[in-house]
């Protein structure tokens, strides 16, 4: 079965054509075509996604991208109908409806977060990875349930438990900002371009590499001392650098007794720390008060704080649910350090849990994941996503839990 999928929930316009087949123990998905246009550079001056600009860009980009697909044959159309920015979602929906009408094809409404989850469970078979997933074959099989997913993106941060296929329970979530949003805002404080997640990650890696070379000296001025509660528990984390600096960001909610997280306090603490630092710098350095080295050290401390929180909360979630599979999905799942820390946690403490890490090609927003999600439902015989009479609307806050 071939599906044409459309994704416009945020600042990526995506159209993909994916073929799905049932196999003995699961499904196989082949990306026939994958067209993706990022608007990130246009939103960069605003430091975040500007909904009306996103809407206009999707409107402009969709027909351009669709040119590549207009001679293709497919059996159904899938479109993201939430969660996301409603003006942006509507563009994809109207476009999908138009094609469905013209071709007299069924239309399926897909949840963006469920797509992150399902596509992260699917695995490539040792193929070379590149930035797009064109020509890639993904297999979705042998998923042991219950499965726990940590979904981390620009708009969402949640622990989702799947006891049965397509049945989701949110067992923890952010009480305020999404972690991707926090990465982007802290990056902005450091005058790094939007989207800031990858920028912070690059800088933090530099600081860690430098610290490794001069082992034991920590991250320099913005050195990271681990919080006592984290350092003393067996969280499967790398040996913290021995440091002396009192400059340290908080690890919020570690003692909350829940799987919930919170990032607004971390963001504010980062802002205050930078302000304090700026006070001490000579006025000629006002424009960019941090040296490159200090910026990198600060980025590493921030990333450490985020990773400490997720390692601790993942441990709690795995203990509480007895999950057999753990998977991470969403844009922030591309973060190398977070991937490593979680992998280490599972390897050392949960040898029976299978950790599925998404291919980088599938972590950011794209239409391939929307197709894979729709195909998983359809090939399982579940037609609940079908929108009869093309009756579909954008739902900005659509939950994965139904
Ligand atoms: O899932 P996604 O592409 O879009 C939403 O659905 O929100 O996630 C985008 C978010 C942005 O906040 C971006 O900064 C973050 O993912 N991100 C990263 C990395 N790559 C993307 N955050 C941390 N480290 C990364 N390597
Ligand atoms: Zn997303």
């Amino acid at each position: 079965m071939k599906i044409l999928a459309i994704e416009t929930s945020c600042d990526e316009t995506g159209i993909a054509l994916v073929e799905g087949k049932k196999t003995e123990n699961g499904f196989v998905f082949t990306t026939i075509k994958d067209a993706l246009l990022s608007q990130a550079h246009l939103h960069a001056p605003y430091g975040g996604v500007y909904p009306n600009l996103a809407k206009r860009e999707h409107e402009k980009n969709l027909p351009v991208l669709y040119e590549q697909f207009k001679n293709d044959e497919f059996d159904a159309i899938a479109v993201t109908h939430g969660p996301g920015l409603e003006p942006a979602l509507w563009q994809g929906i109207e476009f999908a409806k138009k094609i469905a009408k013209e071709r007299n094809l069924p239309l399926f409404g897909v949840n963006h977060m469920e797509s992150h989850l399902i596509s992260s469970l699917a695995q490539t078979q040792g193929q070379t990875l590149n930035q797009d997933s064109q020509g890639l074959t993904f297999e979705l099989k042998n998923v042991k349930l219950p499965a726990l997913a940590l979904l981390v993106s620009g708009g969402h941060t949640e622990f989702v438990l799947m006891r049965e296929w397509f049945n989701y329970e949110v067992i923890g979530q952010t009480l305020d900002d999404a972690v991707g949003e926090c990465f982007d805002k802290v990056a902005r404080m450091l005058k790094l371009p939007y989207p800031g997640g990858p920028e912070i990650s690059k800088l933090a890696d530099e600081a860690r590499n430098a610290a490794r070379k001069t082992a034991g000296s920590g991250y320099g001025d913005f050195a990271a001392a681990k919080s006592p509660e984290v350092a003393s528990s067996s969280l499967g984390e790398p040996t913290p650098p021995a440091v002396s600096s009192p400059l340290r960001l908080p690890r919020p909610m570690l003692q909350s007794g829940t799987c919930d997280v919170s990032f607004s306090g971390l963001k504010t603490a980062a802002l205050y720390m930078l302000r304090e630092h700026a006070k001490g710098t000579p006025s000629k350095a006002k424009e960019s008060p941090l040296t490159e080295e200090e910026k990198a050290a600060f980025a590493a401390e921030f990333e450490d704080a985020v990773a400490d929180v997720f390692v601790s909360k993942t441990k709690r979630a795995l203990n509480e649910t007895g999950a057999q599979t753990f998977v991470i999905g969403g844009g922030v799942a591309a973060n190398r350090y977070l991937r490593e820390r979680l992998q280490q946690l599972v390897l050392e403490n949960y040898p029976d849990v299978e950790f599925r890490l998404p291919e980088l090609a599938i972590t950011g927003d794209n239409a391939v994941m929307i197709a894979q999600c729709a195909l998983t439902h359809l090939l399982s015989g579940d037609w609940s996503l079908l929108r009869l009479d093309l009756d579909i609307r954008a739902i900005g806050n659509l939950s994965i839990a139904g």
Side-chain angles (χ1 to χ4, degrees):
M1 173 180 246
K2 284 185 193 164
I3 284 204
L4 183 90
I6 297 176
E7 155 67 33
T8 63
S9 69
C10 193
D11 61 350
E12 317 279 342
T13 316
I15 305 186
L17 181 59
V18 179
E19 180 163 29
K21 286 189 183 139
K22 228 177 147 146
T23 60
E24 227 171 82
N25 43 7
F27 311 107
V28 56
F29 307 121
T30 306
T31 306
I32 300 168
K33 277 186 199 171
D34 177 16
L36 192 66
L37 265 179
S38 175
Q39 317 165 1
H41 61 288
L42 297 172
H43 297 280
Y46 304 96
V49 181
Y50 184 47
N52 278 327
L53 175 62
K55 175 185 153 184
R56 282 202 305 274
E57 285 298 307
H58 290 311
E59 192 174 12
K60 195 173 80 190
N61 293 340
L62 282 167
V64 176
L65 292 185
Y66 186 63
E67 277 296 305
Q68 301 173 42
F69 299 86
K70 66 176 190 207
N71 297 322
D72 291 308
E73 298 277 324
F74 37 89
D75 308 295
I77 299 166
V79 63
T80 309
H81 69 133
L85 304 166
E86 286 193 4
L89 288 164
W90 272 119
Q91 292 303 320
I93 289 175
E94 292 302 341
F95 198 79
K97 276 170 83 168
K98 198 172 91 181
I99 306 170
K101 218 181 273 172
E102 278 168 13
R103 300 205 183 203
N104 196 22
L105 290 175
L107 178 67
F108 298 92
V110 177
N111 182 306
H112 180 91
M113 298 314 289
E114 185 187 12
S115 302
H116 274 307
L117 192 165
I118 287 185
S119 64
S120 296
L121 284 170
Q123 297 169 307
T124 56
Q125 300 302 307
Q127 292 146 298
T128 11
L129 302 176
N130 51 21
Q131 280 308 300
D132 69 47
S133 69
Q134 201 136 312
L136 277 185
T137 298
F138 290 84
E139 275 189 279
L140 179 59
K141 62 177 187 186
N142 302 334
V143 180
K144 284 180 283 170
L145 300 180
L148 174 73
L150 170 59
L151 301 180
V152 278
S153 74
H156 288 80
T157 305
E158 53 196 16
F159 281 101
V160 177
L161 184 66
M162 177 168 85
R163 287 194 193 280
E164 290 162 50
W165 279 98
F166 315 133
N167 203 328
Y168 307 103
E169 188 189 339
V170 177
I171 62 159
Q173 60 190 315
T174 181
L175 302 179
D176 37 62
D177 297 350
V179 62
E181 189 185 346
C182 189
F183 264 99
D184 295 337
K185 293 211 167 119
V186 169
R188 205 176 179 196
M189 293 172 201
L190 294 175
K191 304 200 166 31
L192 299 170
Y194 172 85
E199 302 290 329
I200 292 214
S201 176
K202 234 187 291 167
L203 275 179
D205 278 350
E206 280 171 26
R208 278 187 206 104
N209 288 338
R212 227 166 269 141
K213 276 187 206 141
T214 49
S217 61
Y219 296 147
D221 256 2
F222 281 94
K226 302 278 170 176
S227 63
E229 64 271 341
V230 172
S232 63
S233 62
S234 60
L235 291 177
E237 59 196 73
T239 319
V243 288
S244 51
S245 169
L247 292 168
R248 207 185 134 271
L249 290 168
R251 274 71 174 152
M253 303 279 288
L254 284 194
Q255 307 301 332
S256 75
T258 67
C259 296
D260 291 332
V261 293
S262 158
F263 290 105
S264 76
L266 178 57
K267 184 184 68 188
T268 311
L271 182 68
Y272 286 160
M273 193 190 272
L274 289 173
R275 275 196 191 149
E276 275 306 304
H277 181 84
K279 270 188 204 161
T281 57
S283 57
K284 66 176 173 23
K286 230 180 197 158
E287 274 301 294
S288 175
L290 296 190
T291 64
E292 281 310 304
E293 231 173 34
E294 287 167 340
K295 259 192 194 181
F298 182 81
E301 167 61 4
F302 170 73
E303 215 176 47
D304 270 357
V306 170
D308 283 347
V309 168
F310 282 127
V311 165
S312 165
K313 295 291 176 171
T314 299
K315 197 174 185 198
R316 169 175 284 277
L318 286 171
N319 289 344
E320 278 181 6
T321 60
Q324 301 279 295
T325 304
F326 175 53
V327 63
I328 58 173
V332 184
N335 186 275
R336 205 186 54 76
Y337 184 65
L338 182 62
R339 291 164 78 101
E340 275 176 18
R341 290 283 307 275
L342 292 172
Q343 195 154 34
Q344 197 176 359
L345 168 78
V346 177
L347 276 176
E348 287 177 4
N349 300 273
Y350 302 92
D352 296 334
V353 173
E354 188 190 346
F355 184 25
R356 294 207 179 176
L357 271 163
E359 301 298 345
L360 291 181
I362 210 96
T363 52
D365 288 348
N366 63 83
V368 173
M369 68 177 196
I370 306 302
Q372 291 186 357
C373 182
L375 282 163
T376 305
H377 277 269
L378 289 173
L379 296 171
S380 308
D382 170 27
W383 283 67
S384 60
L385 306 187
L386 178 65
R387 292 295 173 267
L388 275 176
D389 302 324
L390 307 184
D391 182 14
I392 180 170
R393 58 192 181 88
I395 307 168
N397 62 358
L398 185 68
S399 164
I400 193 170

